[in-house]
Amino acid sequence: MIYESETDLWIPLPITGDAKKLAQQFANDLPNPQKAEQVYLNTLAVCTVNNYLRIVGISTNLSAGNSWNPAARLLANVADLEVTGLGSLECRPMRKSDRFCYVPAEVQDDRLGYIVVQIDEAEQEATLLGFTPAVESEKLLVSDLQSIDDLLEYLVLPTPQTAQQPTNLNRWLQNIFDAGWETVEMLLNPPQLGYVRGTAVAQATTQEAIDSVISLTKPDRTEETRTQAAGVLGEIGAGNANAVNALVELLQTAQDRETRWQAALSLGKIDPHHPLAGIRRARAIDLGLELDGYRVALILAIMPQSDDRISVFLQVEPAGNLEVLPPNLKLKVLSDAGENRLEVAARSDELGRGKDRSIGRRFTPPPGACFQVQIELNNIIFTEVFAV
């Protein structure tokens, strides 16, 4: 194809209502107008690139980047978008009147490349001007950009670096976690940003209170009571030897699987280096416009077994402003070869609305195995590969 000018290589796209809604929502959280405008434009650029890559069949995870993290948006000038299995693209906005695209120094490393998006709010249009694999200064000229067609070839070109590497769950037992995996509390209940006034008073938990909870873990109590007590010890027993010993005893003697899981996870909170400690982490998953810009959390917990195997507990829960899972959202476990091993789907009520707050499955893969976890909704599929 012959292009008469560089503008023939540009790709204009509409600014969608969903993108504007999200951009305004993010901007409203910021402390001053300048920062709010920065985040507003960054979000429009990220959403535009995300929509385009989805149209051409390239999988992305919109909510996995720092641009979707409230603290990162406040502290840095970021507009990153994760391309599944490859890395992050930086989506830098510029207005029609700008002479160059500004690329802050803080985002000039650890990127697959940089896409420049021209924002024209008057025309409700965002135009992809081009891309570059690397930048050397904060001023990026449009004339120095390669075409978006070059970007697509760059993303789909098979190289050894593009293969998705499995997340090694044995490293989790050493408290080594891959990027994107957060504590469940941080992902689902992040601390609120704001000014702190007055003096915070820490309420120390007394030994008497801990011993009272420990008494509820004894075999003469119901399994439901023992499970709940194990959960409480995970919140109040940090650094307490009696709490650690009570959880270890539960792990070694309880017959109920729920009780053992809760004891392992609580032990992981209060003594993460204990050899019997369970580990739980969560990852934000974006399923695009099917969820109207909202996201879900993939939660994965592991519990070491006495035979050197690792038990796995997978869950999917709503994240952000989503209250229930959408109907027919599926959680699947596949073998390394892609064979379906386990599957569960979110249900709907009589009106067709979602009714489940969580779906999940437990299993114990053989040592050295790899498996795939998929979250699927209306032909949009997120896949993560794990090794044990």
Side-chain angles (χ1 to χ4, degrees):
M1 182 180 293
I2 298 176
Y3 298 100
E4 296 183 358
S5 70
E6 67 177 12
T7 60
D8 292 333
L9 301 172
W10 296 354
I11 299 179
L13 297 166
I15 298 175
T16 68
D18 287 335
K20 290 176 61 179
K21 180 181 177 181
L22 280 170
Q24 193 61 60
Q25 176 185 329
F26 290 171
N28 288 342
D29 294 335
L30 279 303
N32 61 69
Q34 293 78 15
K35 187 66 179 178
E37 181 183 22
Q38 176 194 102
V39 168
Y40 183 81
L41 294 175
N42 285 351
T43 306
L44 289 181
V46 171
C47 288
T48 299
V49 175
N50 179 70
N51 289 341
Y52 176 72
L53 293 181
R54 295 257 178 162
I55 290 171
V56 297
I58 294 177
S59 176
T60 61
N61 190 1
L62 180 62
S63 57
N66 284 326
S67 59
W68 242 247
N69 182 308
R73 288 197 300 267
L74 176 67
L75 299 173
N77 184 353
V78 290
D80 57 329
L81 172 66
E82 182 180 288
V83 181
T84 304
L86 298 180
S88 294
L89 288 170
E90 187 70 21
C91 312
R92 300 309 309 178
M94 64 180 292
R95 295 190 182 277
K96 291 187 70 173
S97 58
D98 293 339
R99 298 175 58 190
F100 60 86
C101 177
Y102 173 66
V103 183
E106 61 201 303
V107 300
Q108 292 184 21
D109 294 308
D110 195 29
R111 294 291 189 267
L112 277 174
Y114 301 79
I115 302 179
V116 177
V117 184
Q118 181 177 274
I119 305 295
D120 186 346
E121 292 184 78
E123 298 296 329
Q124 299 293 296
E125 188 174 79
T127 302
L128 306 185
L129 302 185
F131 110 103
T132 182
V135 293
E136 298 179 352
S137 74
E138 295 185 344
K139 294 183 178 181
L140 179 58
L141 300 177
V142 174
S143 58
D144 292 335
L145 297 174
Q146 300 178 39
S147 73
I148 297 298
D149 286 345
D150 293 331
L151 167 69
L152 299 182
E153 293 182 10
Y154 177 71
L155 292 180
V156 302
L157 184 64
T159 66
Q161 288 76 29
T162 63
Q164 184 179 2
Q165 296 299 312
T167 297
N168 191 330
L169 296 179
N170 288 291
R171 289 166 57 87
W172 286 24
L173 297 176
Q174 304 168 31
N175 284 294
I176 301 173
F177 304 99
D178 296 321
W181 289 96
E182 307 175 63
T183 65
V184 176
E185 294 77 14
M186 182 60 69
L187 179 61
L188 298 183
N189 299 291
Q192 297 299 310
L193 299 172
Y195 297 104
V196 178
R197 298 181 179 179
T199 303
V201 179
Q203 299 294 329
T205 303
T206 66
Q207 184 63 52
E208 182 181 1
I210 292 175
D211 289 342
S212 177
V213 176
I214 289 175
S215 69
L216 300 177
T217 67
K218 300 305 179 182
D220 60 338
R221 304 288 183 166
T222 66
E223 288 301 327
E224 181 180 4
T225 297
R226 301 177 84 195
T227 302
Q228 292 174 349
V232 173
L233 287 178
E235 302 300 326
I236 68 174
N240 187 281
N242 289 349
V244 171
N245 291 336
L247 292 171
V248 171
E249 183 179 349
L250 263 182
L251 273 168
Q252 295 174 337
T253 62
Q255 299 300 310
D256 183 75
R257 184 171 60 175
E258 291 287 346
T259 304
R260 293 197 305 274
W261 266 107
Q262 185 59 70
L265 295 176
S266 290
L267 184 59
K269 288 183 178 181
I270 68 175
D271 189 3
H273 297 289
H274 195 285
L276 297 180
I279 307 293
R280 189 167 73 145
R281 285 294 186 272
R283 181 183 178 96
I285 307 299
D286 166 64
L287 292 173
L289 298 180
E290 298 296 340
L291 288 183
D292 194 25
Y294 294 111
R295 57 183 183 169
V296 297
L298 172 62
I299 302 172
L300 190 148
I302 59 174
M303 179 171 61
Q305 302 291 305
S306 58
D307 57 359
D308 293 329
R309 299 175 68 168
I310 296 176
S311 287
V312 177
F313 185 12
L314 288 169
Q315 292 175 282
V316 178
E317 293 188 3
N321 294 326
L322 201 63
E323 295 183 355
V324 296
L325 296 173
N328 299 318
L329 182 142
K330 295 178 181 178
L331 171 64
K332 297 180 179 181
V333 178
L334 294 83
S335 70
D336 191 31
E339 300 166 325
N340 200 345
R341 300 297 193 192
L342 297 170
E343 181 175 328
V344 61
R347 301 168 298 171
S348 60
D349 61 18
E350 62 276 2
L351 298 178
R353 300 171 302 192
K355 62 182 295 186
D356 288 325
R357 282 275 311 161
S358 177
I359 56 175
R361 281 292 183 266
R362 292 186 180 93
F363 61 102
T364 303
C370 287
F371 61 91
Q372 302 178 50
V373 174
Q374 287 187 350
I375 299 176
E376 179 180 342
L377 180 66
N378 297 346
N379 297 320
I380 296 177
I381 300 175
F382 169 87
T383 303
E384 184 94 9
V385 182
F386 298 90
V388 294

